[in-house]
Amino acid sequence: SLSLKQVLDSYQVKKIECLNKKFDSSTQDIIASIESEKYEGIVLEEVQAGYVANGFLLRPCMVVVSSGKKAVEKKENKI
């Protein structure tokens, strides 16, 4: 009998690797952002995995993305 992995492999279902990579709106949805002085637009946390099959998006990744230094500076100026 076939395992689930074998069936998914036969349909070329692949997990989208997004952690510590630049945010890509075509395969990822932002659910939160974190202010960062070092990074901007980098996926810091993957909340839910995303998948593609034969080049088609099955489910986008749900991610937390760094908002960059500008957001930190704007917040400091309001104080």
Side-chain angles (χ1 to χ4, degrees):
S1 91
L2 294 174
S3 71
L4 177 59
K5 181 170 178 7
Q6 290 171 322
V7 172
L8 293 175
D9 287 345
S10 73
Y11 286 99
Q12 297 180 352
V13 175
K14 305 287 181 204
K15 182 180 181 291
I16 300 168
E17 298 299 328
C18 62
L19 195 58
N20 298 318
K21 295 184 180 180
K22 186 103 174 122
F23 172 74
D24 178 3
S25 63
S26 66
T27 60
Q28 302 164 7
D29 287 337
I30 298 175
I31 61 167
S33 63
I34 296 176
E35 295 174 351
S36 170
E37 292 188 24
K38 292 183 179 181
Y39 306 107
E40 183 173 353
I42 301 298
V43 175
L44 300 175
E45 181 180 344
E46 179 185 57
V47 177
Q48 180 177 335
Y51 297 91
V52 293
N54 293 322
F56 294 98
L57 182 65
L58 297 177
R59 180 173 76 182
C61 302
M62 303 296 241
V63 298
V64 176
V65 177
S66 59
S67 61
K69 189 174 182 177
K70 292 178 185 176
V72 174
E73 290 173 358
K74 286 179 186 175
K75 189 173 184 179
E76 289 174 358
N77 291 337
K78 289 182 181 180
I79 296 176

